Amino acid sequence: MSGSPFENELIKDILKDYRAIWAIGHAQALMGWDSETYMPREGVEERAVARAELSVLQRSLLLKPEFVGKVEKAQGLEGLNEYEAGVVRVLARTIDRLRKIPEKLLYEKVKVSQEAVHVWVEAKKSGDFERFKPYLEKIVELTRETAERLGYDEHPYDALLDMYEEGLLTRDVDSLFQGLIPGLRRILDKVLAEGYYPQTHPLEDLAYDTRAMEEVNRKVLDLLGYPWTRGRLDVSPHPFTISLGIRDVRITTRYEGRDPRKTVYAVIHEYGHALYELQQDERLLFTPIAGGVSLGVHESQSRFWENVVGRSPWFTRVLRGIMAEHLPAMAGVSEEEFYRYVNTVRPSLIRVDADEVTYNFHIYLRFVLEKQLVAGEIRVSDLPELWDNMMEELLGVRPKSPSEGVLQDIHWSHGSIGYFPTYTIGTVTAARIGEVLEAEVASLQTLIGDGRIAEIREFLREKIHRWGSTLPPKELLARSLSWSLSPEPLLAYLERKYLGKYQA
Ligand code: MG
């Protein structure tokens, strides 16, 4: 692709102004990456001040009357191409949000969540919900105010969902789960009754040498085609991907010293996020439509590689081979046994340890509680008991302490309410991507088995990645996958995989 898609003079003018805003974002991303990886511990305070000041500067550039005036004028233009319309849409959304949320509310949210994160860490350690409760009450109060200010048509939770997944409504998520939960229940019951997919596996206790695992991770990324001249693999307490642009997208993983699947699958997951950013149309460089369009679509990329590709028998076969070269203990593990090790299915209390079959129950629980909290139908003090009851109802397990229940996730302490459903959006979309890929290119068995990974990358580039944020998520899914959110692709995928047996 050559030639800029931006021809309209007003849009070109807006993009010229936007470069400084982009540059601040670039610096913020780099500082964010450094904070999580190599920054000396005592650099924390100066870094926090620098980032806060840059945020204020970026906000003032976005809200400069001259800039806002140009964007408003562009909103009235007719005949813009879809890239130009995308620029206007994304900027108008950002400006609208900044204008509706007063600086005082923003400041209060940042301040309370900075404290809340520390209190949450301590409260989780000791299992003391009462300690975290006043902070969460404040966060919920500020979140409800945010929803009121942002505005909504049907449900206050809509305003929050839209921040993470443009255009997603509470009723979309409601109807998705209505189909998903009974289907997942049926599959889970069968899987547990058959017992082919074990609940635990002895390899979870296998200790490994970190150096050896680093080699494994590098080889896996080589196999997937991660471009090392445009990325890095580093270590951080929580694996993440950060995009500094289109040509510099970095990922991290962690090494816990045992259960080798964990670090590798974190790498494959983050690779999926990174590839989305790396394979955008380069004509979008320095523009507001560079970058993945929503958290749900982003998560569909990571889950597609981690689960649909990575946990398939065709991929685990190759992965076992790579591991066996570096971890002596793996040499004696059969391909089928290795497959069962990375595909254990266990109704458990902890979301981040959940498998493909049980994962979305955890999200459903959070969605139901968040929705009711935001609507004022339940109180923060009701949460621990409601959580435990619902967990028992959904998965038949009950937390013994809030640490393994209501206190397990960091999200609420950050003030991220309305975020969790994007994980489920990502999971169902990943399954749909698999369906379309198999219909239009070739079966995953063939593509992975014959080492045709590049064709999978090309398919994703063409369907999803190249667009960046040009199209709103619902339009992107309709156009590229001929689809709108529904439970069927995920249920069909899980049934095929988990009610069948190993067949590499
Ligand atoms: Mg992710």
Side-chain angles (χ1 to χ4, degrees):
M1 277 179 225
S2 62
S4 170
F6 307 106
E7 287 162 1
N8 179 282
E9 289 305 323
L10 180 56
I11 301 294
K12 285 205 266 191
D13 191 28
I14 289 172
L15 291 179
K16 213 166 88 198
D17 290 347
Y18 183 75
R19 283 175 85 97
I21 297 166
W22 176 86
I24 294 173
H26 181 80
Q28 292 273 30
L30 182 55
M31 286 193 280
W33 172 79
D34 177 69
S35 302
E36 299 293 324
T37 51
Y38 299 110
M39 184 181 74
R41 209 174 51 211
E42 291 192 23
V44 168
E45 195 186 341
E46 286 157 300
R47 179 60 50 82
V49 171
R51 291 180 74 179
E53 289 294 334
L54 282 179
S55 289
V56 171
L57 184 59
Q58 192 180 45
R59 181 187 164 95
S60 72
L61 289 178
L62 278 159
L63 290 181
K64 225 166 139 182
E66 203 194 334
F67 185 69
V68 172
K70 288 176 189 174
V71 174
E72 280 173 348
K73 197 171 158 202
Q75 281 183 284
L77 290 177
E78 277 172 37
L80 294 180
N81 67 40
E82 51 198 3
Y83 296 97
E84 294 166 337
V87 168
V88 177
R89 184 189 102 256
V90 169
L91 286 176
R93 258 175 71 79
T94 309
I95 290 169
D96 181 59
R97 206 179 308 160
L98 291 177
R99 278 172 148 181
K100 284 177 173 166
I101 309 290
E103 225 159 321
K104 187 171 162 286
L105 176 57
L106 206 64
Y107 176 81
E108 259 190 283
K109 267 189 100 170
V110 171
K111 193 165 159 276
V112 67
S113 57
Q114 269 172 359
E115 291 169 38
V117 172
H118 291 288
V119 175
W120 169 76
V121 170
E122 292 305 315
K124 186 183 173 185
K125 244 185 244 166
S126 53
D128 184 359
F129 182 73
E130 286 303 308
R131 205 164 153 203
F132 183 55
K133 199 179 85 178
Y135 291 87
L136 187 53
E137 280 170 343
K138 185 74 192 164
I139 286 167
V140 170
E141 183 194 318
L142 295 174
T143 302
R144 292 183 65 191
E145 188 187 338
T146 304
E148 290 307 320
R149 287 183 180 273
L150 288 172
Y152 51 87
D153 288 334
E154 297 170 16
H155 195 289
Y157 196 66
D158 291 350
L160 306 173
L161 286 173
D162 180 71
M163 290 200 284
Y164 306 106
E165 194 67 23
E166 184 179 348
L168 184 68
L169 298 173
T170 309
R171 67 176 149 90
D172 298 328
V173 186
D174 268 324
S175 77
L176 182 62
F177 277 122
Q178 253 167 42
L180 208 48
I181 294 299
L184 290 173
R185 171 89 266 153
R186 201 180 59 240
I187 296 168
L188 178 61
D189 287 344
K190 277 197 196 169
V191 170
L192 294 177
E194 285 174 9
Y196 175 78
Y197 290 89
Q199 294 202 37
T200 58
H201 196 282
L203 286 174
E204 287 167 42
D205 295 320
L206 181 69
Y208 60 78
D209 172 57
T210 299
R211 285 253 179 87
M213 277 313 292
E214 281 174 353
E215 272 309 302
V216 169
N217 284 336
R218 279 182 193 287
K219 283 196 179 163
V220 168
L221 285 172
D222 285 341
L223 175 75
L224 296 174
Y226 184 62
W228 293 104
T229 54
R230 291 179 173 219
R232 299 176 51 91
L233 173 63
D234 293 279
V235 177
S236 68
H238 299 282
F240 68 92
T241 299
I242 198 136
S243 162
L244 305 190
I246 300 178
R247 297 177 187 160
D248 183 350
V249 186
R250 307 171 184 195
I251 61 177
T252 69
T253 190
R254 66 173 156 203
Y255 297 94
E256 293 172 300
R258 57 178 285 279
D259 200 358
R261 65 186 173 179
K262 280 194 175 176
T263 178
V264 182
Y265 281 90
V267 165
I268 300 173
H269 181 97
E270 300 306 332
Y271 161 83
H273 282 303
L275 192 68
Y276 186 2
E277 299 286 325
L278 287 161
Q279 294 209 113
Q280 293 176 86
D281 184 338
E282 293 212 351
R283 298 177 306 167
L284 307 186
L285 274 173
F286 312 121
T287 75
I289 52 173
V293 68
S294 68
L295 291 185
V297 177
H298 235 299
E299 196 67 10
S300 76
Q301 299 307 298
S302 53
R303 305 242 167 180
F304 175 75
W305 286 99
E306 178 189 352
N307 292 336
V308 180
V309 173
R311 295 184 202 274
S312 72
W314 317 293
F315 190 87
T316 58
R317 186 179 189 181
V318 182
L319 179 58
R320 194 214 66 94
I322 294 174
M323 280 213 194
E325 287 170 35
H326 298 274
L327 307 180
M330 280 297 174
V333 177
S334 74
E335 286 171 357
E336 183 172 358
E337 210 41 49
F338 186 79
Y339 172 75
R340 295 172 81 220
Y341 160 56
V342 300
N343 286 295
T344 50
V345 177
R346 165 170 69 236
S348 73
L349 295 165
I350 308 298
R351 176 184 60 86
V352 296
D353 294 335
D355 51 81
E356 288 186 278
V357 182
T358 58
Y359 189 85
N360 291 291
F361 288 103
H362 294 267
I363 302 304
Y364 177 59
L365 177 154
R366 287 154 178 80
F367 163 68
V368 169
L369 295 180
E370 284 189 346
K371 189 176 66 167
Q372 293 175 329
L373 267 183
V374 169
E377 293 162 5
I378 58 172
R379 289 167 306 169
V380 168
S381 53
D382 302 328
L383 281 176
E385 175 141 18
L386 290 173
W387 182 293
D388 294 354
N389 291 344
M390 202 170 164
M391 187 50 104
E392 192 162 7
E393 205 180 294
L394 288 171
L395 286 173
V397 286
R398 190 173 183 94
K400 285 191 282 298
S401 144
S403 309
E404 45 183 33
V406 68
L407 285 175
Q408 67 181 272
D409 302 300
I410 195 171
H411 299 58
W412 290 347
S413 70
H414 279 162
S416 303
I417 297 180
Y419 185 119
F420 283 117
T422 66
Y423 292 126
T424 293
I425 306 298
T427 317
V428 289
T429 307
R432 175 63 188 166
I433 288 170
E435 282 181 353
V436 179
L437 173 73
E438 296 207 311
E440 295 186 8
V441 185
S443 71
L444 278 161
Q445 176 166 18
T446 302
L447 292 170
I448 301 167
D450 294 351
R452 292 159 60 183
I453 301 283
E455 288 175 57
I456 304 177
R457 288 200 305 271
E458 266 327 294
F459 170 84
L460 294 172
R461 180 207 299 276
E462 181 58 29
K463 295 285 184 186
I464 309 281
H465 302 167
R466 69 185 175 97
W467 294 103
S469 297
T470 306
L471 306 170
K474 282 181 175 173
E475 202 180 316
L476 177 70
L477 299 185
R479 194 192 294 203
S480 293
L481 305 175
S482 314
W483 184 66
S484 62
L485 290 178
S486 69
E488 288 79 18
L490 180 63
L491 293 175
Y493 158 77
L494 291 175
E495 263 174 41
R496 221 169 32 243
K497 173 170 176 178
Y498 287 93
L499 302 182
K501 293 228 166 23
Y502 176 79
Q503 38 174 340

